[in-house]
Amino acid sequence: MKKRIFFQLVLPLLCLFLLVALLAFAPTWSRRQPALLEMSVILRESGGFANARQGMEQAAADLNVELRFLVPSADNSAAEQAQLLSHEVEANASAILLIPADREALAESVRAAASRAVLVTLETGMAEQGARACVGTDNAALGQALGQAVLNGVPSGGTVLLLHSAPGDNAVQERLEAASAVLTGAGRKVAVQDAGGLDFQDALSRRPVDAILALEASALEAASEAARYLEEFPLLYGAGSTAAIAAGLEQSRVTAIAAQNDFAAGYLAVETAAGLARRRTVPPVKPLPFFILRQETMYAPENQKLLFPVT
């Protein structure tokens, strides 16, 4: 009799309790995994976004997003970016993440794309043209901070060479204009040089300068590499936080940098675009913080994650 009660009443209750417990403590992702979302990512150049791309890929893995990376054949070609935008929209892309090369040149293409797909930008804001959000820092504030950093190393009347590596209406231009205003306002001379294919040895022999300021990662990497082989090289400042830049900072080829958490920026960009595409409520995106780092501060615990992101 007792065995029959056990098998008919107690055992089923135990099994039911076990099933409920398994469901209650099952990983959240297994119960709430959203449908696969395809997202197009249009970069403005082939290099300089390694950490941000890692963040994008991590977000894609966490949020069940499939990323399609697209790069113009010529770096910072707004015309090619416009073609890529048009192609992705015609292919019925649900979400597009764009790093604009030129806000003005891309205005009409972004308006057209944003009317048919969720479009989020990274680095350069295009809200007026229809982009739903922008993930990036306050570019004017970053340029001003770099200008102030350069003032510490360049005496009054000294000359600073600003590397213009992404001609056009974009984040790099905003940083350059803000840094130039700080430097000229404090009595420093400013020269602007196109960084594309720049021969540093030739340029410096023709125009001696006290410091070089690069306003984005690829230009700073190129200048840091040139400093490796030239006996005399000006003080070098810039924006970016790649492994090559961290090495330059560590080896005293780079004096100071403005660094943001590029991994987090890439993650947030994909997370924001995915949330909007899935019609979820997404919190307003605030400007990302940045920090001025020097060799003596680069290994502080709070700064290591900016230079050495981990998944």
Side-chain angles (χ1 to χ4, degrees):
M1 183 67 177
K2 290 182 179 180
K3 288 185 178 180
R4 186 163 61 183
I5 292 174
F6 177 81
F7 284 108
Q8 290 181 350
L9 182 60
V10 179
L11 186 59
L13 287 174
L14 288 174
C15 292
L16 180 60
F17 175 81
L18 180 60
L19 178 61
V20 169
L22 289 173
L23 290 174
F25 294 100
T28 302
W29 63 265
S30 67
R31 291 181 280 124
R32 298 182 182 179
Q33 185 78 330
L36 179 68
L37 174 70
E38 295 183 358
M39 184 180 302
S40 303
V41 181
I42 302 177
L43 306 176
R44 63 172 175 81
E45 62 177 33
S46 57
F49 295 100
N51 290 349
R53 185 162 174 163
Q54 287 182 36
M56 294 178 197
E57 291 171 343
Q58 183 61 52
D62 293 345
L63 304 173
N64 200 27
V65 174
E66 183 176 287
L67 299 178
R68 170 180 164 81
F69 287 97
L70 303 166
V71 186
S73 60
D75 286 352
N76 301 303
S77 172
E80 284 193 62
Q81 284 193 315
Q83 293 176 357
L84 291 170
L85 266 174
S86 177
H87 180 272
E88 294 308 296
V89 169
E90 292 303 318
N92 296 316
S94 299
I96 299 173
L97 180 56
L98 170 68
I99 306 179
D102 190 323
R103 196 161 18 211
E104 183 177 355
L106 285 165
E108 291 305 317
S109 298
V110 167
R111 287 191 185 97
S115 68
R116 297 177 56 183
V118 168
L119 192 148
V120 171
T121 63
L122 182 65
E123 186 182 73
T124 299
M126 293 193 68
E128 292 183 3
Q129 292 76 24
R132 300 282 297 278
C134 175
V135 177
T137 191
D138 182 330
N139 292 301
L142 187 147
Q144 291 169 356
L146 280 173
Q148 290 291 340
V150 174
L151 290 179
N152 294 327
V154 177
S156 181
T159 301
V160 182
L161 180 64
L162 274 60
L163 299 184
H164 200 343
S165 49
D169 179 12
N170 52 39
V172 179
Q173 178 67 24
E174 293 173 5
R175 297 170 186 176
L176 187 147
E177 291 175 355
S180 180
V182 168
L183 293 168
T184 56
R188 274 62 167 182
K189 299 174 184 177
V190 168
V192 179
Q193 172 74 51
D194 184 354
L198 178 62
D199 183 331
F200 284 93
Q201 185 171 15
D202 178 63
L204 295 174
S205 66
R206 289 186 288 105
R207 178 167 48 191
V209 299
D210 298 287
I212 293 176
L213 175 55
L215 283 308
E216 55 87 39
S218 61
L220 182 54
E221 285 183 352
S224 177
E225 184 65 14
R228 184 194 298 272
Y229 301 103
L230 298 179
E231 288 187 9
E232 293 188 10
F233 203 83
L235 298 176
L236 179 57
Y237 302 81
S241 54
T242 66
I245 291 171
L249 195 63
E250 184 179 48
Q251 296 163 17
S252 301
R253 287 181 278 117
V254 178
T255 304
I257 63 172
Q260 68 173 17
N261 192 327
D262 289 332
F263 182 95
Y267 193 105
L268 179 59
V270 169
E271 183 180 44
T272 300
L276 291 169
R278 288 168 172 153
R279 303 182 185 281
R280 295 177 179 171
T281 301
V282 176
V285 178
K286 298 179 180 180
L288 300 176
F290 64 87
F291 304 89
I292 300 297
L293 306 186
R294 298 175 181 272
Q295 184 185 64
E296 57 268 26
T297 61
M298 66 181 293
Y299 285 110
E302 65 272 18
N303 294 333
Q304 289 192 43
K305 61 184 178 182
L306 302 177
L307 298 172
F308 313 105
V310 293
T311 301

